[in-house]
PDB file of all heavy atoms in Angstrom:
ATOM      1  N   LEU A 271      -1.638  -0.339  -6.197  1.00 98.00           N
ATOM      2  CA  LEU A 271      -1.469   0.764  -5.269  1.00 98.00           C
ATOM      3  C   LEU A 271      -2.751   1.589  -5.199  1.00 98.00           C
ATOM      4  O   LEU A 271      -3.256   1.888  -4.118  1.00 98.00           O
ATOM      5  CB  LEU A 271      -0.290   1.650  -5.671  1.00 98.00           C
ATOM      6  CG  LEU A 271      -0.126   2.947  -4.853  1.00 98.00           C
ATOM      7  CD1 LEU A 271       0.023   2.661  -3.365  1.00 98.00           C
ATOM      8  CD2 LEU A 271       1.038   3.770  -5.370  1.00 98.00           C
ATOM      9  N   VAL A 272      -3.300   1.963  -6.345  1.00 98.00           N
ATOM     10  CA  VAL A 272      -4.553   2.723  -6.357  1.00 98.00           C
ATOM     11  C   VAL A 272      -5.382   2.285  -7.561  1.00 98.00           C
ATOM     12  O   VAL A 272      -4.870   2.121  -8.661  1.00 98.00           O
ATOM     13  CB  VAL A 272      -4.292   4.245  -6.384  1.00 98.00           C
ATOM     14  CG1 VAL A 272      -3.416   4.645  -7.558  1.00 98.00           C
ATOM     15  CG2 VAL A 272      -5.609   5.016  -6.423  1.00 98.00           C
ATOM     16  N   ARG A 273      -6.684   2.078  -7.314  1.00 98.00           N
ATOM     17  CA  ARG A 273      -7.591   1.658  -8.376  1.00 98.00           C
ATOM     18  C   ARG A 273      -8.839   2.515  -8.364  1.00 98.00           C
ATOM     19  O   ARG A 273      -9.521   2.653  -7.348  1.00 98.00           O
ATOM     20  CB  ARG A 273      -7.976   0.185  -8.181  1.00 98.00           C
ATOM     21  CG  ARG A 273      -9.021  -0.318  -9.199  1.00 98.00           C
ATOM     22  CD  ARG A 273      -8.469  -0.355 -10.609  1.00 98.00           C
ATOM     23  NE  ARG A 273      -9.359  -1.075 -11.528  1.00 98.00           N
ATOM     24  CZ  ARG A 273     -10.167  -0.500 -12.417  1.00 98.00           C
ATOM     25  NH1 ARG A 273     -10.219   0.824 -12.500  1.00 98.00           N
ATOM     26  NH2 ARG A 273     -10.902  -1.241 -13.209  1.00 98.00           N
ATOM     27  N   SER A 274      -9.118   3.124  -9.499  1.00 98.00           N
ATOM     28  CA  SER A 274     -10.382   3.804  -9.699  1.00 98.00           C
ATOM     29  C   SER A 274     -11.456   2.732  -9.841  1.00 98.00           C
ATOM     30  O   SER A 274     -11.299   1.797 -10.632  1.00 98.00           O
ATOM     31  CB  SER A 274     -10.290   4.663 -10.961  1.00 98.00           C
ATOM     32  OG  SER A 274     -11.490   5.316 -11.224  1.00 98.00           O
ATOM     33  N   CYS A 275     -12.523   2.843  -9.065  1.00 98.00           N
ATOM     34  CA  CYS A 275     -13.516   1.766  -9.005  1.00 98.00           C
ATOM     35  C   CYS A 275     -13.968   1.347 -10.399  1.00 98.00           C
ATOM     36  O   CYS A 275     -14.415   2.175 -11.198  1.00 98.00           O
ATOM     37  CB  CYS A 275     -14.718   2.192  -8.168  1.00 98.00           C
ATOM     38  SG  CYS A 275     -15.937   0.872  -7.968  1.00 98.00           S
ATOM     39  N   GLY A 276     -13.853   0.060 -10.668  1.00 97.00           N
ATOM     40  CA  GLY A 276     -14.173  -0.428 -11.999  1.00 97.00           C
ATOM     41  C   GLY A 276     -15.634  -0.714 -12.241  1.00 97.00           C
ATOM     42  O   GLY A 276     -16.066  -0.768 -13.399  1.00 97.00           O
ATOM     43  N   ASN A 277     -16.423  -0.897 -11.168  1.00 97.00           N
ATOM     44  CA  ASN A 277     -17.822  -1.270 -11.395  1.00 97.00           C
ATOM     45  C   ASN A 277     -18.745  -0.796 -10.281  1.00 97.00           C
ATOM     46  O   ASN A 277     -19.715  -1.466  -9.944  1.00 97.00           O
ATOM     47  CB  ASN A 277     -17.940  -2.789 -11.558  1.00 97.00           C
ATOM     48  CG  ASN A 277     -17.327  -3.552 -10.394  1.00 97.00           C
ATOM     49  OD1 ASN A 277     -16.995  -2.978  -9.362  1.00 97.00           O
ATOM     50  ND2 ASN A 277     -17.175  -4.854 -10.557  1.00 97.00           N
ATOM     51  N   CYS A 278     -18.458   0.371  -9.713  1.00 97.00           N
ATOM     52  CA  CYS A 278     -19.350   0.935  -8.701  1.00 97.00           C
ATOM     53  C   CYS A 278     -20.700   1.295  -9.335  1.00 97.00           C
ATOM     54  O   CYS A 278     -20.769   1.655 -10.518  1.00 97.00           O
ATOM     55  CB  CYS A 278     -18.734   2.185  -8.069  1.00 97.00           C
ATOM     56  SG  CYS A 278     -17.409   1.851  -6.896  1.00 97.00           S
ATOM     57  N   SER A 279     -21.759   1.258  -8.542  1.00 97.00           N
ATOM     58  CA  SER A 279     -23.091   1.553  -9.065  1.00 97.00           C
ATOM     59  C   SER A 279     -23.227   3.012  -9.489  1.00 97.00           C
ATOM     60  O   SER A 279     -24.031   3.345 -10.358  1.00 97.00           O
ATOM     61  CB  SER A 279     -24.155   1.210  -8.017  1.00 97.00           C
ATOM     62  OG  SER A 279     -23.913   1.910  -6.813  1.00 97.00           O
ATOM     63  N   THR A 280     -22.449   3.896  -8.875  1.00 97.00           N
ATOM     64  CA  THR A 280     -22.368   5.293  -9.313  1.00 97.00           C
ATOM     65  C   THR A 280     -20.922   5.575  -9.687  1.00 97.00           C
ATOM     66  O   THR A 280     -20.012   5.333  -8.888  1.00 97.00           O
ATOM     67  CB  THR A 280     -22.807   6.264  -8.205  1.00 97.00           C
ATOM     68  OG1 THR A 280     -24.151   5.961  -7.813  1.00 97.00           O
ATOM     69  CG2 THR A 280     -22.726   7.708  -8.685  1.00 97.00           C
ATOM     70  N   GLN A 281     -20.692   6.066 -10.885  1.00 98.00           N
ATOM     71  CA  GLN A 281     -19.337   6.294 -11.365  1.00 98.00           C
ATOM     72  C   GLN A 281     -19.062   7.784 -11.544  1.00 98.00           C
ATOM     73  O   GLN A 281     -19.986   8.596 -11.725  1.00 98.00           O
ATOM     74  CB  GLN A 281     -19.110   5.562 -12.694  1.00 98.00           C
ATOM     75  CG  GLN A 281     -19.075   4.054 -12.571  1.00 98.00           C
ATOM     76  CD  GLN A 281     -17.765   3.548 -11.981  1.00 98.00           C
ATOM     77  OE1 GLN A 281     -17.043   4.264 -11.281  1.00 98.00           O
ATOM     78  NE2 GLN A 281     -17.452   2.286 -12.250  1.00 98.00           N
ATOM     79  N   TYR A 282     -17.761   8.132 -11.473  1.00 98.00           N
ATOM     80  CA  TYR A 282     -17.333   9.522 -11.565  1.00 98.00           C
ATOM     81  C   TYR A 282     -16.041   9.595 -12.387  1.00 98.00           C
ATOM     82  O   TYR A 282     -15.365   8.592 -12.603  1.00 98.00           O
ATOM     83  CB  TYR A 282     -17.026  10.098 -10.182  1.00 98.00           C
ATOM     84  CG  TYR A 282     -18.120   9.981  -9.161  1.00 98.00           C
ATOM     85  CD1 TYR A 282     -18.164   8.903  -8.277  1.00 98.00           C
ATOM     86  CD2 TYR A 282     -19.106  10.963  -9.045  1.00 98.00           C
ATOM     87  CE1 TYR A 282     -19.155   8.798  -7.314  1.00 98.00           C
ATOM     88  CE2 TYR A 282     -20.102  10.869  -8.080  1.00 98.00           C
ATOM     89  CZ  TYR A 282     -20.124   9.787  -7.219  1.00 98.00           C
ATOM     90  OH  TYR A 282     -21.117   9.695  -6.263  1.00 98.00           O
ATOM     91  N   LYS A 283     -15.704  10.820 -12.766  1.00 98.00           N
ATOM     92  CA  LYS A 283     -14.371  11.096 -13.305  1.00 98.00           C
ATOM     93  C   LYS A 283     -13.424  11.226 -12.118  1.00 98.00           C
ATOM     94  O   LYS A 283     -13.729  11.923 -11.143  1.00 98.00           O
ATOM     95  CB  LYS A 283     -14.373  12.391 -14.116  1.00 98.00           C
ATOM     96  CG  LYS A 283     -13.004  12.780 -14.665  1.00 98.00           C
ATOM     97  CD  LYS A 283     -13.068  14.111 -15.378  1.00 98.00           C
ATOM     98  CE  LYS A 283     -11.727  14.467 -16.010  1.00 98.00           C
ATOM     99  NZ  LYS A 283     -10.649  14.627 -15.000  1.00 98.00           N
ATOM    100  N   ARG A 284     -12.269  10.588 -12.188  1.00 98.00           N
ATOM    101  CA  ARG A 284     -11.324  10.598 -11.082  1.00 98.00           C
ATOM    102  C   ARG A 284      -9.938  10.981 -11.584  1.00 98.00           C
ATOM    103  O   ARG A 284      -9.496  10.521 -12.640  1.00 98.00           O
ATOM    104  CB  ARG A 284     -11.277   9.226 -10.405  1.00 98.00           C
ATOM    105  CG  ARG A 284     -12.666   8.774  -9.911  1.00 98.00           C
ATOM    106  CD  ARG A 284     -12.654   7.331  -9.436  1.00 98.00           C
ATOM    107  NE  ARG A 284     -13.962   6.940  -8.917  1.00 98.00           N
ATOM    108  CZ  ARG A 284     -14.823   6.151  -9.547  1.00 98.00           C
ATOM    109  NH1 ARG A 284     -14.518   5.676 -10.750  1.00 98.00           N
ATOM    110  NH2 ARG A 284     -15.977   5.840  -8.999  1.00 98.00           N
ATOM    111  N   THR A 285      -9.265  11.812 -10.793  1.00 98.00           N
ATOM    112  CA  THR A 285      -7.916  12.273 -11.129  1.00 98.00           C
ATOM    113  C   THR A 285      -6.957  11.735 -10.081  1.00 98.00           C
ATOM    114  O   THR A 285      -7.173  11.914  -8.877  1.00 98.00           O
ATOM    115  CB  THR A 285      -7.853  13.802 -11.161  1.00 98.00           C
ATOM    116  OG1 THR A 285      -8.781  14.297 -12.146  1.00 98.00           O
ATOM    117  CG2 THR A 285      -6.453  14.284 -11.512  1.00 98.00           C
ATOM    118  N   ILE A 286      -5.885  11.098 -10.530  1.00 98.00           N
ATOM    119  CA  ILE A 286      -4.915  10.479  -9.630  1.00 98.00           C
ATOM    120  C   ILE A 286      -3.524  11.029  -9.931  1.00 98.00           C
ATOM    121  O   ILE A 286      -3.117  11.107 -11.098  1.00 98.00           O
ATOM    122  CB  ILE A 286      -4.910   8.950  -9.798  1.00 98.00           C
ATOM    123  CG1 ILE A 286      -6.265   8.367  -9.401  1.00 98.00           C
ATOM    124  CG2 ILE A 286      -3.785   8.306  -8.990  1.00 98.00           C
ATOM    125  CD1 ILE A 286      -6.442   6.893  -9.789  1.00 98.00           C
TER     126      ILE A 286
END
Side-chain angles (χ1 to χ4, degrees):
L271 173 58
V272 56
R273 176 67 169 103
S274 178
C275 184
N277 54 11
C278 285
S279 57
T280 302
Q281 291 284 23
Y282 306 94
K283 178 184 184 297
R284 303 171 177 106
T285 300
I286 297 169

